[in-house]
């Protein structure tokens, strides 16, 4: 795998339509599509995962949650696919687009609709979850795209098989945010405890980015 990669993606500043629509427009350009006015309405709560999922699927695209770990990010970028990244903040969430990595510095390059220049993010500072249940990182598959080499669902499924515990849907949604390094050991301990104590549900501590 390359030591560094940067996808050629023009930065688009957000307007009154907000960061989500700007990030989607940048994604269009990165994938060689004609940028469109996505027009997703935003409220004080932002654009929910479910609304974004429906919007992308209506366009014939498939959003897939990606494990919040450097290996998964690099794998997607090497396939030419940038990643939508959601950063949770005290006043809400903000979305940008990860477009590059550099193994030499351990940094990722991302485009922030609020800034004029690309920004750097240390790999260990990858956000762990959204305010909504789900992954902080999403890749968008076009028709004919191969599936992601590594997703948060894959990691969680492997861990459930290893420990011998199948999570209920609600717990599974929360656990996906923990199914990455360095939180994998914490999740494994929680699953082992649930199995040994015979509890029906598992409760996970909040994970802050």
């Amino acid at each position: 795998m390359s030591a560094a990669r940067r996808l050629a993606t023009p930065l688009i500043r957000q307007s009154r339509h907000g960061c989500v629509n700007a990030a989607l427009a940048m994604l269009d350009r990165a994938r060689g599509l004609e940028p469109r006015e996505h027009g997703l309405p935003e409220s004080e709560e932002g654009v929910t995962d479910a609304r974004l999922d429906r919007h992308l699927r209506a366009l014939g695209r498939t959003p897939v949650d990606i494990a919040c770990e450097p290996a998964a990010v690099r794998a997607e970028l090497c396939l030419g696919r940038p990643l939508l990244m959601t950063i949770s903040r005290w006043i809400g969430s903000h979305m940008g687009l990860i477009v590059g990595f550099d193994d030499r510095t351990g940094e990722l390059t991302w485009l922030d609709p609020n800034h004029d220049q690309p920004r750097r993010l240390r790999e260990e500072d990858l956000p762990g979850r959204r305010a909504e249940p789900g992954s902080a990182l999403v890749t968008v598959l076009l028709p004919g795209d191969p599936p992601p080499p590594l997703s948060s669902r894959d990691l969680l499924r492997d861990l459930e098989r290893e420990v011998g515990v199948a999570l209920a849907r609600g717990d599974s949604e929360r656990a996906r945010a923990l199914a990455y390094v360095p939180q994998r050991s914490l999740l494994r301990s929680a699953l082992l405890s649930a199995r040994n104590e015979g509890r029906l549900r598992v409760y996970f501590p909040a994970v802050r980015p």
Side-chain angles (χ1 to χ4, degrees), residues 181-194:
V181 178
Q183 301 289 355
R184 184 182 174 90
S185 60
L186 176 61
L187 176 56
R188 187 176 189 278
S189 297
L191 292 177
L192 282 170
S193 175

Side-chain angles (χ1 to χ4, degrees), residues 7-37:
L7 302 180
T9 308
L11 193 153
I12 297 176
R13 289 294 301 268
Q14 71 181 72
S15 62
R16 60 186 177 85
H17 298 295
C19 61
V20 175
N21 291 293
L24 290 175
M26 290 190 287
L27 180 65
D28 288 342
R29 291 191 176 184
R31 297 305 307 274
L33 302 172
E34 185 69 27
R36 56 181 294 143
E37 187 66 59

Side-chain angles (χ1 to χ4, degrees), residues 38-175:
H38 287 273
L40 273 171
E42 296 197 49
S43 63
E44 292 182 358
E45 293 76 28
V47 176
T48 64
D49 286 354
R51 189 187 298 172
L52 179 60
D53 186 279
R54 290 194 300 269
H55 174 72
L56 290 170
R57 292 183 186 279
L59 297 175
R61 309 172 191 180
T62 306
V64 178
D65 292 343
I66 295 299
C68 296
E69 64 171 26
V73 173
R74 294 191 201 103
E76 285 301 296
L77 292 173
C78 284
L79 288 171
R81 300 195 295 236
L83 293 163
L84 294 169
M85 176 177 68
T86 301
I87 301 174
S88 294
R89 298 173 171 173
W90 290 110
I91 58 173
S93 296
H94 184 60
M95 181 173 284
L97 197 69
I98 297 179
V99 296
F101 69 88
D102 191 336
D103 285 343
R104 294 164 297 187
T105 62
E107 292 179 325
L108 302 170
T109 300
W110 69 288
L111 304 180
D112 183 344
N114 272 336
H115 288 256
D116 291 322
Q117 298 296 327
R119 304 185 67 183
R120 299 285 184 177
L121 175 72
R122 294 182 303 174
E123 290 181 337
E124 60 264 32
D125 292 335
L126 274 169
R129 65 179 298 178
R130 294 181 180 178
E132 300 283 335
S135 175
L137 301 178
V138 173
T139 190
V140 179
L141 306 183
L142 303 182
D145 278 351
L150 191 62
S151 71
S152 57
R153 288 189 179 90
D154 295 332
L155 287 177
L156 180 58
R157 186 168 55 246
D158 290 344
L159 198 52
E160 286 178 308
R161 188 181 303 114
E162 174 187 334
V163 175
V165 171
L167 294 176
R169 177 175 175 80
D171 282 330
S172 179
E173 291 292 319
R174 289 189 290 275

